[in-house]
Amino acid sequence: MTEEQPVSEIPFPLSPQVLAGDTSDVYFLRTHRVMEMEGVNPRVTMEFFPSGDGILCGMKEVLALLGLGQVLPSDGEVWALEEGELFRVKEVALRVIAPYLSFGVYETAILGILAHESGWATAARECVEAAQGVPIVSFGARHVHPTVVGAMEYAAIVGGCVSCSTPVGAQLAGVTPSGTMPHAMMLCFGDTVRATVAFDKHMPPEVPRIVLVDTFHDEPEEALQVAEALRDRLYGVRLDTPGERGGVTPDLVIEARVRLDQAGFQHVKLVVSGGVTPTRIRQFLEVGAPVDSFGVGSYISGARPIDFTADIKEVEGKPVAKRGRIPGIIANPRLHRAI
Amino acid sequence: MTEEQPVSEIPFPLSPQVLAGDTSDVYFLRTHRVMEMEGVNPRVTMEFFPSGDGILCGMKEVLALLGLGQVLPSDGEVWALEEGELFRVKEVALRVIAPYLSFGVYETAILGILAHESGWATAARECVEAAQGVPIVSFGARHVHPTVVGAMEYAAIVGGCVSCSTPVGAQLAGVTPSGTMPHAMMLCFGDTVRATVAFDKHMPPEVPRIVLVDTFHDEPEEALQVAEALRDRLYGVRLDTPGERGGVTPDLVIEARVRLDQAGFQHVKLVVSGGVTPTRIRQFLEVGAPVDSFGVGSYISGARPIDFTADIKEVEGKPVAKRGRIPGIIANPRLHRAI
Amino acid sequence: MTEEQPVSEIPFPLSPQVLAGDTSDVYFLRTHRVMEMEGVNPRVTMEFFPSGDGILCGMKEVLALLGLGQVLPSDGEVWALEEGELFRVKEVALRVIAPYLSFGVYETAILGILAHESGWATAARECVEAAQGVPIVSFGARHVHPTVVGAMEYAAIVGGCVSCSTPVGAQLAGVTPSGTMPHAMMLCFGDTVRATVAFDKHMPPEVPRIVLVDTFHDEPEEALQVAEALRDRLYGVRLDTPGERGGVTPDLVIEARVRLDQAGFQHVKLVVSGGVTPTRIRQFLEVGAPVDSFGVGSYISGARPIDFTADIKEVEGKPVAKRGRIPGIIANPRLHRAI
Amino acid sequence: MTEEQPVSEIPFPLSPQVLAGDTSDVYFLRTHRVMEMEGVNPRVTMEFFPSGDGILCGMKEVLALLGLGQVLPSDGEVWALEEGELFRVKEVALRVIAPYLSFGVYETAILGILAHESGWATAARECVEAAQGVPIVSFGARHVHPTVVGAMEYAAIVGGCVSCSTPVGAQLAGVTPSGTMPHAMMLCFGDTVRATVAFDKHMPPEVPRIVLVDTFHDEPEEALQVAEALRDRLYGVRLDTPGERGGVTPDLVIEARVRLDQAGFQHVKLVVSGGVTPTRIRQFLEVGAPVDSFGVGSYISGARPIDFTADIKEVEGKPVAKRGRIPGIIANPRLHRAI
Amino acid sequence: MTEEQPVSEIPFPLSPQVLAGDTSDVYFLRTHRVMEMEGVNPRVTMEFFPSGDGILCGMKEVLALLGLGQVLPSDGEVWALEEGELFRVKEVALRVIAPYLSFGVYETAILGILAHESGWATAARECVEAAQGVPIVSFGARHVHPTVVGAMEYAAIVGGCVSCSTPVGAQLAGVTPSGTMPHAMMLCFGDTVRATVAFDKHMPPEVPRIVLVDTFHDEPEEALQVAEALRDRLYGVRLDTPGERGGVTPDLVIEARVRLDQAGFQHVKLVVSGGVTPTRIRQFLEVGAPVDSFGVGSYISGARPIDFTADIKEVEGKPVAKRGRIPGIIANPRLHRAI
Amino acid sequence: MTEEQPVSEIPFPLSPQVLAGDTSDVYFLRTHRVMEMEGVNPRVTMEFFPSGDGILCGMKEVLALLGLGQVLPSDGEVWALEEGELFRVKEVALRVIAPYLSFGVYETAILGILAHESGWATAARECVEAAQGVPIVSFGARHVHPTVVGAMEYAAIVGGCVSCSTPVGAQLAGVTPSGTMPHAMMLCFGDTVRATVAFDKHMPPEVPRIVLVDTFHDEPEEALQVAEALRDRLYGVRLDTPGERGGVTPDLVIEARVRLDQAGFQHVKLVVSGGVTPTRIRQFLEVGAPVDSFGVGSYISGARPIDFTADIKEVEGKPVAKRGRIPGIIANPRLHRAI
C-alpha cells in the first residue's frame, strides 16, 4: 500500500493467530478441551462491561470476529452499544447469548480489543473537548508497537481526531493521512529553506505545505524565511520546540503570529506539537494563543486501556453469577441487537 | 499452533505492513520521495534514547528489522545495548550509521517497538523486584489488543516474569504458557469440585492442577473442598476475590494457608491474582502473607510506553543537531556493535 | 433486672460517691472548708458553656443532682436548656444562682455529666443525619467501662438512635433493648442453622429473629440457608464481615439483597454492623445499598466528650470575671427556669 | 470518704449491675438462655486482643470479676498480661478457658473495661514520655461522667501520672490526691492574696501551697504578690492563662521564672495547666521553659478507648474460628497464668 | 523640619545622585557613551509594564524626573496611568517616546520607583480592603532603611492608609503624622499613669491622647488606670501585646471594651498593633472585635516590590522587539498624555 | 561621580533628614519633648535583636550615626556584633548604654538600617551558598527605589556577591561596578554584532566584553556570531532568555557551551541572568550546566527585611522590661565594645 492509493471502508483484517486462539489465555483453550470431552456446552449469556467511563471503540472489530461463519451458531444473539458511544462505568456494553464453546475462547481477544481501543478513543476525546473546535491530529504512532498502530490511530479518529499520521491508521478510519516535515529531512538538507523548496517541488499539489521551523534558527525567524521562500504556497508552519528549550509556549505562538502578520503572511497557519495534553491545550486556549491545529502524541497513543470484564450471567436461561456479582442480566435499554 | 507444540527460539515475525512503511508516519515516506528525487542521501548517524529509566526490550525485534537484506547496506553500522539491560534516561540505546534513505522510513517502527516493549518490561521488573523471589506470571493479555499480546507477554518475561498466559507470548519467549481455571468454566459446570475433577481427568499430567476457589463459596471453604477431591494431585489454588468483596487481602491468604495446613494440605500452593501491583505485593510480603505466586494483569499490560526519541547527530561525519540538542554523538561505552 | 421487666421513666440513680464529693476535684473540697471556716459564702451566678457545637445531653441528670433537698437552698435559681436541644459553641447552657457553698463542690460532676453525654449524643446525631431515615442502633457498649454503659446508651438515644443493646441503657431511655445473635453462639453450636433453629425455639415471639450470617460460609450463602430454615419467621440477617475480609461492602449488601429476592425472601431485612461511621453510612446510601438498619459501635461510644467550662460571672449581684472572660452574665433567651 | 482517710490497696468495687448482666449486650443474655435450655455448654477458649498498640489497664478489675466465686468454675483457666504492660496491636492480652456459660455474658464488660482504661493509660503514657521526667498530674475529671472518674484517674496513674485530682481516683490508685486553688475561690474572695492567706491559715501543713495566679492581674505580677505574702511557705504557683489570652506560652513560663528569681523567690515552683498535650509539652521542653509540673486534662480523660475484640478459638479443644480469623489459639509467651 | 511645620504639596525631592546616573545600572552609562560616540540616537518608543496586578504608585515621582528641563527634549511624549490607579499584570503603565539618549540612563530609576512604591501601595490596599472601613495607619518605618521611609509612607497613603508615623512620609502625602506613646517612654517614667499624665500636660491639644496599655499590667487593668487618670481627655488606648504573650487576640479586644464600658469609659477608642496583616484583620472583624483603628507595620513596609519591565517597541517608528516580545506598541486606552 | 573615579573606603553619608529625626516615628519626637520638659532622662540600656537568623548588615552605618559628636555623650557605651557576622533569632546584636534622650529618637532609623540591609545581605548569602563558588553579581537595582540602591548593593556584597551593577553601590562597597550590554542598546543599533563592535571600539580595555546574545537570534547562533566578530577579545556572553520563551534552561547553557567549544571558542564565558534564585542555581549545578557567573536580581533586592526589635532592659542600672520580655540584659559574649 502506498499513501496515494484510494482509501475505502474495508473490513478489519482478522489475524489468523487470533482466530486460532493463540492470543487467548491458555486456560480458555484448556477449558474448551475439557468441556468438549465432558460434553458440557450450556447456552450462556455473557456480559462485558468497562471499569470506567469512556468512549466505546473496538466494537466493529469485535462484531467482525463474532460474525464470522465459524464462530457463533445461527441461534446466537449479540447485543451491543455502537462504536463511538459514551459508556459509564460498569454499564453493559456487549451481551452474547450462545453455546459457550462457540465463542468462549475469544473472551481474551474481545476484552483486549475493547479495552485498548476504548482507552485510546477516550484519551483522544479528552483532547478534542479541551480544544473547543481547534482540530487535533494523532501523531503518536512512534510510541506504540507497529502492529497496533492501525488500531490506535483508528481509535483516535473514533475519539474525534480529524486525521492521523500513518497510512495504515488512515485507511482503517477512511481518512487521508496527515504530516508535515521531520527534523531528519531538515538536517539531511542542512537548511530549512532548501528542504522546503525541494518538498514543494516534488510533492503533489494536494499535500499541504506545512514546514517545521525550529531546526536551525529561532522559530519566528525560520518561519519568516520559509514564508518568504514559498509565499502563498505555504500552508502553515509547525512549532515543535524541544523541552530543552522550554517547549512551545503560548507566548511563542502569539509572537510568531504577530511577526508573520506584520510581514504580510496572515494566511500561514500555526501547528503546535510536542508534549501536547488536554491540560496544555487548555493553557494555550485560555490565553488566546492562535493555534490552528494541535498534533498529539503519547497522551493518546500511550493512554492506559480501560479494562473490561466479562461475566456469565445466565446458564441455560437461569440467572447465575460468581460470588461478588449480581446473578442474571443487567438491563441496559441502550443495547441494540447487532447479530 | 496449539499450546502443546514444541517451543523454540524463532525469529520475530516481521509484518509486511511494517516493512512496506504503512505503519510509518507519512512524512517519512514523503521525505524519502523528495530526497530520492533530489539525489540527497547523506550518510548519517542517528541515535535513539529513552525519556526515562527502564529495562530495554524490543532490541531483538529492531535488529531483526535492520538486519534484513533489503534494509541497511553492507557498510551500515549498528551499535546497541542488549535486550534486558537497564538503561538510564537519555542514555543512547541504539546508534545507526548508514545512508539515510536506507533506514529513515523505519524511525517510527523502531521507536514504537522500543517504547512499547520497554514500558511493559519495566513494569514487569517493578513487580518482580517488589516480590523478592516470589514468582510473577503475566496475566494481562485481556487488557491489550490481540495483535500485540505476543510482544507484551514477551516483554513481561524479559522483565522477569516466569511465565505468561498466552501461547503466542510463551512461544516468543521460549517458555510454557501458564494458566489455572476460569470462572466461566466453574459456572458452566455449576460446581467447582465437578469442574475440578473433569479438568483433572482430561488434562495431560504436565499441566499443574491449580483451581480457582472463589466462585461459589467462601475461599478457604472451597479450597478445602477441592483439596479433599484431588488430594495429592492438587498443585495449588488461586484466590481472585473480586473488588466487590474487598479483593484478596493478606489476612485471607494467611487464613487459607492455616486452614489448609490444619486439614493436612500443606502441599497446596496459593496463587493470588486480581489488581496486583508492586504496592500491593509489598503489602502482602510485609505482613508475611504466604503467597506462592502472583498473577499480574494490567499493571504490566497497561503500562505506559517509555517514549524514545531519535536524533540525527552526524551528517557525512560532521557533528550536527537540531536546536536544543548537542551536536555530535553522545559517547556510551556500554554500546556494542550489533550489525 | 432482666430484660423482660417493665421499663418505666425512673429517676437517674445518684451515686453516693458523687454526692459525697469523692469524684470532685479535691481543690473544691478544700475551697469549701476554707470558705466555711472564713465565713465567706457569697451568692454567685455561675454559667456553664460548651467548647463546641452539639446536642445537649445530661441536663436531666444534672437537674436531678441540683434538685435534691440537701443541695440548693430554697432561693437558689437554675436556668437551663432542654435535654436534646442543639447548642452552639460558648452558648450558656446552664446558669446557677445560689450561695457558692451550696453547690460549688459539684462543679466537676456537672461538667463531666454534660461533657461526656453531650459527646455521645452528638456523635449519634451525626450518624442519624447521615442515615437519612434508615434506623441506627447503638451497639458500642463493649468499648466503654460498664459503669457508664447506661449513660452512654441513654445519650445515644437522646441523639436519635432508635434502640441500644444493653438492658441498663434501654431502661434509662425507656426503650426495649435490641440485639441479634453473637459469633460466640454460632461457634458454640458449630452451625449457624442449628443455632438459629434453637434461638427460634426458645425466644419469646416479640424478639425479632435477626441472624448473623458471616460465621461459617459466604454471607449470601449463609443468609439463604437460614432463610430456608426459618422462612417467614426470619425477620432479618446481620452482615458483620470482619476487616480481614474487607469489611461489609455496599456491593455485598446489594448482592445479598438480590440473591435473597431471587429466592423469594423479599421480606428478610438487612442489618449492617462493623466499623460503621457517618462517612461509611453515606457511602452505602450514595450507591443505593439497600440497608434496613445500621448497628454503630465505637463511633458513638468512643466519641470524645464535648468539654464544658464553668465561670462565676456575678458575686453578690456584681459582674465579675477572671482575666480573659467577660464580666457579668451572657444573655441567652433560650434558657428556661428549671428550678 | 474524705480526702484525709487512709488510702490502702482495696479491691475494685464490682457493681451489682455489671454482675447481673444489665450492662451486657442483650444478645449475650439471650444466648445464655437458649444454650441453657438446649443443654449446649462447651468448654471454650476465648482470646481477647486490642486494635492498636498501648498500655494495658483494667486487667486487675477484669480478674477481680472473673475470680469471684460465682463466675469461673474450679477448672477454669485464665492467662493474662500484667496491668501496665505494653501490648502490640492484635497481641492476645487475655485468654479464658472454661465452659462458655460460666463467663460468656461478661464479654461486653471485659472488653469495655480493657478498652476504656487502656485508652486512658496509653494517653497518659504519651504525656509522660513527652515530659521526660517532669511530673504529670491528671486534672481531667471534669470531662468524663462522674461514675467513671475513679477508673479514669486510676488508669492515668497506671500510665505514669504521679497523681490525680479526685479522692476516688487517688484511693483506687493508692496515692494522695493533688490540687491547687480554683478560679471560683479567687472570685469569691475577690482578691488572690486574701484567698491565699486564708488557704494557708486553714489547710493542714501537708497540703502544698500552690496558688493559681492568673485571675485578676498579669501572671508574673500576681505571682510576686502571693510570694510576698507567703514567702517560704509558698510551694508553687499555677499558670492557667485562658485561650482568649493566648494560653500559657513557653515565654510566659520563662519570664515568670526570671521575675520570681530576681525577687528572691527561686524556691517557688511553676505548674502549667490548660490544654496541655504531648505536642505542647514538647514545645515547652524544646525551648527550655522551666516547668516543674504539668496538669493534663482532656488529652487523657477524653482519649478514645483502644477497642478490644474477643474470639472463640477452641471448642472442646478443637481449633475453630469465625471466617476471617485464624482457627486455634495464637501463642503469646508473655501471658502468665492468672487464675 | 519639625512635625509642627505646615505641610504642603511639595515636589518630590530629586536626588542629585539619581540625576547623575550613579544609581543606574552601569551598562546604561556605557551604552550612552558608545552610542554618543557612534552618533547613534534613534527616536524610540519604550513601554513599562508590571509583573503582577496592583495599585500604581511612584508615577508622580517618575514624571517629576522626566519633566525636568535637562531630560526629555521638547518633542518627547509621555503617556501614563494615574497615581493610585489599579493596573493588571503586563498592562502598559508608562510609554515614553523620545530620542533614546535623552532618557535611557534613567531606565533603572524609573523601574525601581514604580516597583517599590507600587509594592507598598498594593500591600496597604490589601489591608484597607480587609478592614472594611476601619482606619489603617502605617506604622512600619522601623522595618526599612531611613532613606526610603518617606517614599514608603507616601505609598502606604496612596494605597489607602489614613495616616503614617513619620514626619517625612506625612509631609510627602500631605497628612498629619500619627502616633501614640512608645514602651520606651513608659519604662523611662517607670509607671504608665505617670507617663500619661506628663504626656497630657505637655502635648498641644490637637495631639490625641492615645496611651499604650500593656507595659506593666494586664491590658484591661492598665487601660482602666489611665482612663481613671485622664477621664474625658483620654482619646484611646493601644493594645500591642507581644507574641511572647500570644499577641493581641480578638477576645482581648472584646474584653477590654466591655470592662471599659462597664466602668463608664465608652468614649475610649481601641487601637490594635503588632503583627497585623489582612488575614488577622479579617479574623478580628469576623468575630466582631470592636477595633477602632489598626496600626500596620511590616506587612506594608516589608512588602515585595512589584517588578516592572521596560521594552523598546519602536525604533524610528518601526515596530521592533527583542525575541520573546511582541513588536510594536501594546495599545492601552487607559493611558493619558502626561508630558 | 563617574564609574572610572577611584573608589575608596568612605564614610556612610548621613542624611540630614535622618539626623533631624524626620524619618523617625513621631511618637519618639513627642516622647523627647515630654521627657525634656519633665526633666526625666535616665541612663538606660537598650538592646536590639532580630526576628530571625541571618547575616548582619548595616552596623557600620548605625555606628557612624551613633558616633557623631552630637549623639552619644562621652560616657555612652555601645556593644555590637561585626558587619557580616551571622546572627541567630533573638540574639542581641547591639547594646547601647546612655542617657535615653541622647539617642532615643534614632530607634526607628537604627532598626530600619539593620532590618533592611540584613535582609538583603542574607538573601545574597543564600545565593552565594547555593552557587558553591560560582560568582554572583547583584543585578537588582531596578527593583528598588533609587535612594536605597546604594545600601542594597552594599548589603549584597556584604552577603558575598563579588560585584554589583551600580556605581553608587560599588563605591560604598569598594568594588568596581559590573555590567554587560542591555537589550536597549541592541535594538537601537538594530544588530547585535554591530553593537558589539561599537562597544569594543569605545570601551576602555579594562571593561570586559560580555555580550547579551538573545535579542535577535537563537542564543547559540548569536553567541557564535559575536564570537566570530570579536574572537579573543570576547570575554563572555550573557544568556537572559525571557520567560515567554521558557527562560534560560540548564540544557541551553550546556548546548551553548558545546557549540562554542566545537567552533574553537572555549575561552568565552557564560553569564546567566533572569529570575535566578537559590533554587534555580541549584538546578543548574545539579545537572552540571557550565555557568561561569550568575546575575541575581529581585531575589536579593526584593528580599523582605529581617525585622529587628529594641528593648529597654535597664533603667539606671536596674533590670526592667515590658510585660512579655525578660528584665535585664541578655548576655552575649560575641558582642564587642564598638564605641
Side-chain angles (χ1 to χ4, degrees), chain B residues 243-246, chain C residues 241 245-254 280 284 289:
Chain B
E244 288 87 345
R245 290 295 184 88
Chain C
T241 316
R245 291 295 184 88
V248 181
T249 62
D251 283 316
L252 171 59
V253 178
I254 294 169
R280 290 199 66 221
F284 279 98

Side-chain angles (χ1 to χ4, degrees), chain F residues 190-224:
Chain F
D191 183 275
T192 296
V193 171
R194 220 188 113 211
T196 299
V197 169
F199 186 87
D200 181 43
K201 180 163 126 205
H202 298 296
M203 280 291 111
E206 67 273 16
V207 172
R209 275 65 180 155
I210 303 174
V211 183
L212 176 61
V213 292
D214 59 14
T215 309
F216 294 106
H217 304 294
D218 195 51
E219 293 84 350
E221 184 182 357
E222 206 160 293
L224 287 168

Side-chain angles (χ1 to χ4, degrees), chain E residues 1-4 15 17-18 20-31 33-35 37-38 40 42 44 46 61 90 100 107-109 111-113 115-117 120 139 141-149 151 153 165-169 171 176-185 187-189 194-195 198-199 201-204 207-208 213-219 238 240-245 298-305 307-308 312 315 320-325, chain F residues 1-4 15 17-18 20-31 33-35 37-38 40 42 44 46 49 61 90 100 107-109 111-113 115-117 120 139 141-149 151 153 165-169 171 176-185 187-189 194-195 198-199 201-204 207-208 213-219 238 240-245 298-299 301-305 307-308 312 315 320-325:
Chain E
M1 187 183 79
T2 70
E3 60 162 309
E4 279 77 20
S15 146
Q17 259 188 338
V18 174
D22 289 350
T23 67
S24 296
D25 292 301
V26 72
Y27 66 11
F28 288 124
L29 303 174
R30 292 172 179 164
T31 293
R33 181 191 298 194
V34 172
M35 286 175 65
M37 295 186 82
E38 287 287 308
V40 170
V44 302
M46 188 178 276
E61 192 169 348
K90 293 211 171 177
Y100 177 74
E107 183 177 326
T108 311
L111 291 170
I113 291 166
H116 221 164
E117 296 193 19
W120 288 316
F139 271 9
R142 64 190 52 205
H143 307 301
V144 291
H145 196 277
T147 62
V148 281
V149 158
E153 301 243 72
S165 71
T166 65
V168 65
Q171 190 195 36
T176 306
S178 173
T180 64
M181 296 167 72
H183 287 111
M185 186 177 184
L187 289 164
C188 283
F189 272 94
R194 217 188 116 211
F199 186 89
K201 179 164 126 202
H202 298 295
M203 280 291 109
V207 172
V213 292
D214 59 15
T215 309
F216 295 106
H217 305 292
D218 195 51
E219 293 83 350
R238 177 160 70 98
D240 187 59
T241 316
E244 288 87 346
R245 290 296 184 86
S298 66
Y299 187 83
I300 295 173
S301 63
R304 287 195 80 87
D307 299 341
F308 273 69
I312 290 182
V315 171
V320 300
K322 70 173 191 175
R323 273 172 68 237
R325 299 278 158 71
Chain F
M1 188 183 79
T2 71
E3 60 161 310
E4 279 77 19
S15 146
Q17 258 188 341
V18 174
D22 288 350
T23 67
S24 297
D25 292 301
V26 72
Y27 65 12
F28 288 123
L29 303 174
R30 292 172 179 165
T31 293
R33 180 190 299 193
V34 172
M35 286 175 65
M37 296 187 80
E38 289 285 308
V40 171
V44 303
M46 187 178 276
F49 57 91
E61 192 169 348
K90 292 211 171 178
Y100 178 75
E107 182 178 326
T108 311
L111 292 170
I113 291 167
H116 221 164
E117 296 193 19
W120 288 316
F139 272 9
R142 65 190 53 204
H143 307 301
V144 292
H145 196 277
T147 62
V148 280
V149 157
E153 301 242 72
S165 71
T166 66
V168 66
Q171 190 195 37
T176 307
S178 173
T180 63
M181 296 167 72
H183 287 111
M185 186 177 184
L187 290 165
C188 284
F189 273 93
R194 220 188 113 211
F199 186 87
K201 180 163 126 205
H202 298 296
M203 280 291 111
V207 172
V213 292
D214 59 14
T215 309
F216 294 106
H217 304 294
D218 195 51
E219 293 84 350
R238 177 161 68 99
D240 187 58
T241 316
E244 288 88 345
R245 289 297 184 86
S298 66
Y299 188 82
S301 63
R304 287 195 80 86
D307 299 342
F308 274 68
I312 290 182
V315 171
V320 301
K322 70 172 192 178
R323 275 172 66 236
R325 299 279 156 73

Side-chain angles (χ1 to χ4, degrees), chain B residues 6 26 33 37 41 54 84 92 97 99-100 151 154-155 177 196 208 217 241 243 249 258 273 296 302 335:
Chain B
V26 73
R33 180 192 300 195
M37 297 187 81
N41 187 17
V92 176
I97 311 169
Y100 178 75
Y154 166 79
T196 299
H217 305 294
T241 316
T249 61
V258 173
S273 62
V296 178
L335 293 175

Side-chain angles (χ1 to χ4, degrees), chain B residues 304-328:
Chain B
R304 289 195 78 85
I306 297 177
D307 299 342
F308 274 68
T309 301
D311 265 0
I312 290 182
K313 303 304 285 292
E314 290 179 337
V315 172
E316 298 294 356
K318 233 187 51 177
V320 300
K322 71 172 192 177
R323 272 172 69 237
R325 299 280 157 72
I326 306 301

